[in-house]
Amino acid sequence: MLSGYGQPQATTHDICSAVDRFVSAFLGVRFPMALALNKCDLPSSRKYVSSIVSALPVHGAHVATPMTAKHEMQFIRKHLLRRLENRGKAESTQMGNVSSTDGQPTRGTKLSVWDCLTAAITLKEPTLVFPVSDFNTLAPMSGMHQPAIGSPSLPSPGMIACIEASGGCPPSLWNPSTERYSTEASNKRGGGDKSPLRDALLLKPRSTVEDVFLTLKRMGALSGDFVRAEACSGVLDGA
């Protein structure tokens, strides 16, 4: 393309390098990426993992997390099976057959997939929205009761066991004694249905109040057409 202008090869190379850096910078701002480097346990992949990590940021990618899907699935399978075993022991204990509390998950084991997700969220932080019914008490909306305890997107008991084993905490309305979601779990902490800022929505950056309304409508928390709404920010600043 530039040969017709009589430019030397070195100049053409510099121009193309500048364009490449511009495109890479644009992608890094508009579409930042977190790379999941799978199969890092293979000996042949180690040098490539090292070279990729050392080359960042490039072409919109800012961070890279080495991981192995095999180890991740072994971790999940281990704690899913352990939970089933513990549940069986608990049922047997209630029947008077055995009395054992062994086999509890070891907390603090980190999963690389959590690190990758954390890195991705850090690159493009979502907009956190807390739908409330009152700005003074910050009590949750009445329409959020069913989504908060009955949404199919809530972690299952097996996944909660994996979250706890990796050092995380279960959802606030999870009741470990009954292994169900209910407001009783929050009632024991003195909150219940009136817990301030109980529910949170993760929306895209620069989302509007109308986007919040449409999200709540899809969840079944609201109905009708959008007319007006009130919003505020920084309510806990300095608290």
Side-chain angles (χ1 to χ4, degrees), residues 33-83:
M33 291 181 289
L35 303 180
L37 306 180
N38 193 22
K39 301 185 184 299
C40 68
D41 56 324
L42 300 179
S44 59
S45 68
R46 293 173 183 171
K47 63 177 182 179
Y48 298 108
V49 168
S50 178
S51 61
I52 292 174
V53 172
S54 61
L56 298 177
V58 62
H59 301 311
H62 289 260
V63 293
T65 304
M67 63 175 57
T68 164
K70 179 180 179 181
H71 292 169
E72 301 281 329
M73 290 307 301
Q74 287 176 344
F75 177 90
I76 293 176
R77 186 180 297 112
K78 169 186 175 182
H79 291 286
L80 287 177
L81 293 176
R82 180 171 292 176
R83 178 195 168 274

Side-chain angles (χ1 to χ4, degrees), residues 71-119:
H71 292 169
E72 301 281 329
M73 290 307 301
Q74 287 176 344
F75 177 90
I76 293 176
R77 186 180 297 112
K78 169 186 175 182
H79 291 286
L80 287 177
L81 293 176
R82 180 171 292 176
R83 178 195 168 274
L84 293 176
E85 292 174 358
N86 291 343
R87 184 175 182 179
K89 290 180 180 179
E91 292 176 351
S92 299
T93 301
Q94 292 176 357
M95 296 175 61
N97 294 333
V98 297
S99 177
S100 174
T101 58
D102 296 335
Q104 296 299 322
T106 302
R107 298 180 63 86
T109 303
K110 294 191 67 175
L111 282 176
S112 296
V113 67
W114 301 136
D115 294 335
C116 188
L117 289 173
T118 300

Side-chain angles (χ1 to χ4, degrees), residues 83-164:
R83 178 195 168 274
L84 293 176
E85 292 174 358
N86 291 343
R87 184 175 182 179
K89 290 180 180 179
E91 292 176 351
S92 299
T93 301
Q94 292 176 357
M95 296 175 61
N97 294 333
V98 297
S99 177
S100 174
T101 58
D102 296 335
Q104 296 299 322
T106 302
R107 298 180 63 86
T109 303
K110 294 191 67 175
L111 282 176
S112 296
V113 67
W114 301 136
D115 294 335
C116 188
L117 289 173
T118 300
I121 293 175
T122 302
L123 289 176
K124 202 72 171 180
E125 294 185 0
T127 298
L128 293 178
V129 178
F130 299 87
V132 299
S133 59
D134 188 291
F135 277 157
N136 293 321
T137 63
L138 302 179
M141 296 172 52
S142 59
M144 286 296 295
H145 176 71
Q146 183 58 32
I149 64 174
S151 173
S153 64
L154 293 170
S156 64
M159 186 53 63
I160 289 177
C162 296
I163 294 174
E164 291 180 322

Side-chain angles (χ1 to χ4, degrees), residues 178-190:
T178 61
E179 292 197 336
R180 295 178 180 275
Y181 290 96
S182 69
T183 55
E184 294 179 2
S186 185
N187 286 334
K188 293 180 180 180
R189 294 188 290 270

